[in-house]
Amino acid sequence: MALRDIICIPDPRLRQKSAPVRTVTPEVRALVADMFETMYAAPGIGLAAIQVAVPLRIITMDLSRQEEPKAPRVFIDPEILAASDDTVPYEEGCLSVPDYYEEVLRPARVRLRYMDLDGKVHEEDADGLLATCIQHEIDHLDGVLFIDHLSKLKRDRVMKKFVKAAKRAAE
Ligand code: NI
């Protein structure tokens, strides 16, 4: 296992669409192990492969509370089959948009289909934090960031801040 670098906005790779995995190879397993190590170290509750610059449709997640045992979950080629009409607000953050949190409205419940690390396909109904988090992460696979769900004014403000910081870091 190895820690990988998490890429941040305005890195253009975060805007690309990730490709389906279809077959779980040893390389995919190694990537998933690295993603968990990177996610736990950050620390974060969810990570999409593109955030470590690999454009594959893979998500790692652990929504357990601090005092609970770890509950790692992997979603390969995840799809949202259906979403509820009612929405819930949740204050979201993202490892690729560090230290920025803003409320986002998303469907409260979704029906998911995904593949596990053994290549087995599952369907599952998600609500609560899982529903919010999986929608945030699937967005990453399509090059969408949570800031895209905010008003243009807020998004422009945060983008400007990160572009400036990236310029400063490159000097
Ligand atoms: Ni994110």
Side-chain angles (χ1 to χ4, degrees):
M1 292 216 297
L3 269 182
R4 302 213 186 186
D5 287 331
I6 295 175
I7 58 175
C8 293
I9 58 167
D11 192 312
R13 289 172 291 182
L14 288 168
R15 292 307 190 174
Q16 75 185 93
K17 210 172 146 76
S18 295
V21 173
R22 295 205 175 94
T23 312
V24 179
T25 59
E27 289 74 23
V28 167
R29 288 171 185 278
L31 169 63
V32 166
D34 286 357
M35 285 173 65
F36 273 118
E37 188 176 345
T38 304
M39 183 184 84
Y40 284 124
I45 60 172
L47 189 72
I50 192 60
Q51 294 181 273
V52 292
V54 180
L56 285 174
R57 302 185 81 83
I58 302 173
I59 290 165
T60 56
M61 199 180 289
D62 189 333
L63 303 180
S64 61
R65 289 173 210 274
Q66 230 171 8
E67 67 277 12
E68 293 173 343
K70 280 185 178 170
R73 298 200 61 180
V74 184
F75 301 89
I76 298 171
D77 296 344
E79 283 173 80
I80 291 173
L81 302 176
S84 66
D85 290 330
D86 55 317
T87 55
V88 282
Y90 190 84
E91 192 178 69
E92 298 189 19
C94 181
L95 295 173
S96 295
V97 189
D99 302 318
Y100 182 77
Y101 302 90
E102 197 61 68
E103 203 165 81
V104 176
L105 268 182
R106 297 185 190 268
R109 291 175 307 282
V110 291
R111 181 152 185 88
L112 289 175
R113 182 191 288 149
Y114 63 93
M115 193 164 72
D116 66 20
L117 261 189
D118 297 317
K120 203 174 156 215
V121 175
H122 301 266
E123 282 192 19
E124 181 176 338
D125 290 310
D127 61 7
L129 184 55
L130 175 59
T132 294
C133 196
I134 197 74
Q135 291 176 78
H136 174 122
E137 300 305 333
I138 289 176
D139 269 358
H140 274 299
L141 307 183
D142 295 318
V144 175
L145 299 168
F146 84 99
I147 55 173
D148 300 340
H149 295 282
L150 307 178
S151 68
K152 186 177 178 324
L153 182 76
K154 279 185 182 166
R155 185 170 58 252
D156 286 351
R157 201 185 289 152
V158 65
M159 279 306 296
K160 211 185 264 177
K161 195 178 109 186
F162 278 90
V163 167
K164 230 188 242 173
K167 269 192 198 141
R168 262 201 311 273
E171 275 168 11

